[in-house]
Amino acid sequence: IRLDLKPLASDAVVEAMRALGAAEKSSAEELTAIADLSQGSPGRALDLAGSQGAKLFLKFQDVAGRPPPFARAPLLQIAGHMKRLDAGEDFPVFSDLLSDWVAATARERAVSGGVCAAQPWARAHQDIGHSIRRANALNLDRRQVLLEAFASLEEAARLGNP
């Protein structure tokens, strides 16, 4: 027997988060944003709700949602946070969300603008993924990895927006 389950709508994820007590530390706007990041999974939403990495990713999304050049100060703050000793769990959360976002952006560009519009985003996704894997394997400077990722994404935004 096969049981196909569809992801929950963001409203349902927010409702589940409230029922499980995650709403106490988050604003309604933040809950909705976390629910959107969770891709319909209440469990993932609960994990993200308590994560500084997810909150930093929401800040990144705000910056990257504007046309290039990207604002430098918030990106430097995000990258700088990853050097802190207490940021151990934040980098994997942030980098997973970043990878998902870049892949989704590449798909959106391919649909709306064709292969040429998607190529810079696909290249950025590949390069960023490689850098993150290398940083994790070799314990490299996560701040520098993110600064390079942000530069790649800014370049993709310049070249690949339809």
Side-chain angles (χ1 to χ4, degrees):
I1 296 176
R2 181 178 165 158
L3 180 61
D4 291 326
L5 300 174
K6 294 181 181 178
L8 295 177
S10 287
D11 298 3
V13 173
V14 168
E15 189 176 315
M17 291 171 64
R18 284 194 174 116
L20 295 169
E24 298 168 7
K25 298 179 184 177
S26 302
S27 68
E29 181 179 288
E30 191 174 83
L31 283 176
T32 300
I34 294 292
D36 290 342
L37 290 178
S38 77
Q39 300 175 357
S41 169
R44 186 170 189 211
L46 289 172
D47 290 342
L48 294 175
S51 167
Q52 185 64 24
K55 290 177 182 160
L56 291 170
F57 180 76
L58 290 173
K59 182 183 279 192
F60 162 77
Q61 262 189 319
D62 184 52
V63 171
R66 296 186 174 103
F70 296 158
R72 296 284 177 249
L75 297 180
L76 288 170
Q77 181 185 23
I78 292 166
H81 173 84
M82 298 306 170
K83 282 194 82 148
R84 295 176 34 181
L85 293 176
D86 63 346
E89 294 300 315
D90 299 338
F91 184 74
V93 170
F94 184 91
S95 58
D96 285 348
L97 291 169
L98 182 66
S99 180
D100 290 349
W101 180 84
V102 178
T105 302
R107 281 190 299 276
E108 289 170 13
R109 295 300 189 264
V111 169
S112 66
V115 173
C116 289
Q119 280 179 335
W121 292 97
R123 190 173 318 115
H125 184 265
Q126 181 178 7
D127 293 347
I128 291 167
H130 175 73
S131 292
I132 290 170
R133 285 188 300 277
R134 198 176 79 220
N136 288 333
L138 302 174
N139 198 27
L140 299 178
D141 182 2
R142 293 172 169 181
R143 177 184 180 275
Q144 188 60 39
V145 168
L146 287 182
L147 291 175
E148 290 172 9
F150 298 152
S152 293
L153 294 172
E154 186 174 54
E155 181 71 11
R158 272 201 305 276
L159 297 174
N161 274 334

